[in-house]
Amino acid sequence: MKENQIPKATAKRLPLYYRYLRILNNAGKKKVSSTELSEAVQVDSATIRRDFSYFGELGKRGYGYDVNDLMQFFAKTLNDDQMTNVALIGVGNLGSALLKYKFHQSNSIRVSAAFDVNPEIVGRIVDGIPVYPMSDMKEQIAIQQIDIAILTVPAQRSQDVVNELVAAGIKGILNFTPARITAPNGVLVQNVDLTNELQTLIYFLHSGAEAADLEE
């Protein structure tokens, strides 16, 4: 498997496939066809087969896919077979909501530390997560072996904080700020702009586009 050849759209669908395979496995189902997967996850079967083809032969013609084997394969592919600690930077309204979320869809992802400048919450435990001062960020990221950070700080502070995160050894940043941050090669940045996503959805609603167009 050559990961750099996998399209971004395919990569975004992998957690969806994995989540449903876990449901099937917990229900005791042994095998599943691409048609059954298609109906469950609302992705056409041709797209599913194409997505799976990037990883080699995952199923057998006339048999379908072994649920447990496929689930274990995607667990390893998504690193869901090992714990990943995540840092939350900024415990404002959005940051607090993310702490409450707790990533229930995965047993291997947890926010293990949060950082903020607000003296009213620094030093407290918020929804089970310790909140440290920003001055402790580099030390705690090293101690807790954190590679990924969720960024929810004010936009005007985002790039400065990103620079600090990079210096601390962070390799991936999920950016919830509206600012378009820059990071050196080797540091992955995923931008999540809620306003942009809503405006895109509104555009498609009024343009009469099919739901599938949003997945392209």
Side-chain angles (χ1 to χ4, degrees):
M1 180 184 68
K2 297 180 180 179
E3 293 185 2
N4 60 339
Q5 294 181 354
I6 298 173
K8 188 174 183 180
T10 294
K12 285 186 174 182
R13 286 189 287 267
L14 298 185
L16 178 63
Y17 300 146
Y18 174 56
R19 187 160 63 246
Y20 185 64
L21 287 164
R22 288 178 59 188
I23 292 172
L24 291 178
N25 188 68
N26 290 338
K29 193 169 179 64
K30 301 300 182 183
K31 65 177 182 177
V32 64
S33 68
S34 58
T35 301
E36 290 175 302
L37 278 174
S38 173
E39 293 173 352
V41 301
Q42 296 298 296
V43 176
D44 68 88
S45 57
T47 297
I48 291 175
R49 290 192 295 270
R50 185 175 67 247
D51 287 347
F52 286 8
S53 71
Y54 291 108
F55 301 93
E57 295 294 330
L58 297 181
K60 299 177 182 178
R61 186 177 297 276
Y63 175 83
Y65 303 97
D66 183 286
V67 170
N68 185 67
D69 287 349
L70 196 58
M71 182 189 70
Q72 295 299 333
F73 174 81
F74 281 123
K76 188 173 183 63
T77 300
L78 295 167
N79 287 323
D80 202 57
D81 56 349
Q82 54 187 292
M83 180 61 70
T84 298
N85 288 332
V86 178
L88 174 73
I89 318 300
V91 192
N93 292 334
L94 179 56
S96 296
L98 290 172
L99 288 183
K100 293 178 184 299
Y101 180 60
K102 300 185 186 301
F103 300 94
H104 292 302
Q105 294 173 347
S106 174
N107 294 323
S108 66
I109 301 173
R110 69 174 181 182
V111 175
S112 61
F115 301 89
D116 205 280
V117 296
N118 185 349
E120 294 185 3
I121 60 174
V122 166
R124 292 176 51 196
I125 304 294
V126 179
D127 289 293
I129 311 300
V131 181
Y132 299 93
M134 295 292 289
S135 58
D136 287 355
M137 188 170 68
K138 185 173 183 178
E139 178 185 15
Q140 287 300 321
I141 284 174
I143 291 174
Q144 300 188 39
Q145 298 181 319
I146 297 172
D147 291 324
I148 298 174
I150 301 173
L151 192 63
T152 60
V153 299
Q156 63 269 24
R157 284 277 296 129
S158 58
Q159 188 60 56
D160 289 339
V161 173
V162 166
N163 295 341
E164 293 178 39
L165 289 170
V166 171
I170 286 294
K171 301 301 182 185
I173 299 171
L174 187 61
N175 176 31
F176 275 92
T177 79
R180 282 300 171 260
I181 58 178
T182 59
N185 291 336
V187 178
L188 299 177
V189 176
Q190 182 77 30
N191 294 303
V192 182
D193 190 325
L194 298 180
T195 300
N196 182 64
E197 295 296 331
L198 278 171
Q199 288 177 331
T200 301
L201 178 60
I202 291 168
Y203 165 76
F204 277 110
L205 282 174
H206 290 285
S207 69
E210 296 292 332
D213 293 340
L214 295 173
E215 300 295 333
E216 297 299 328

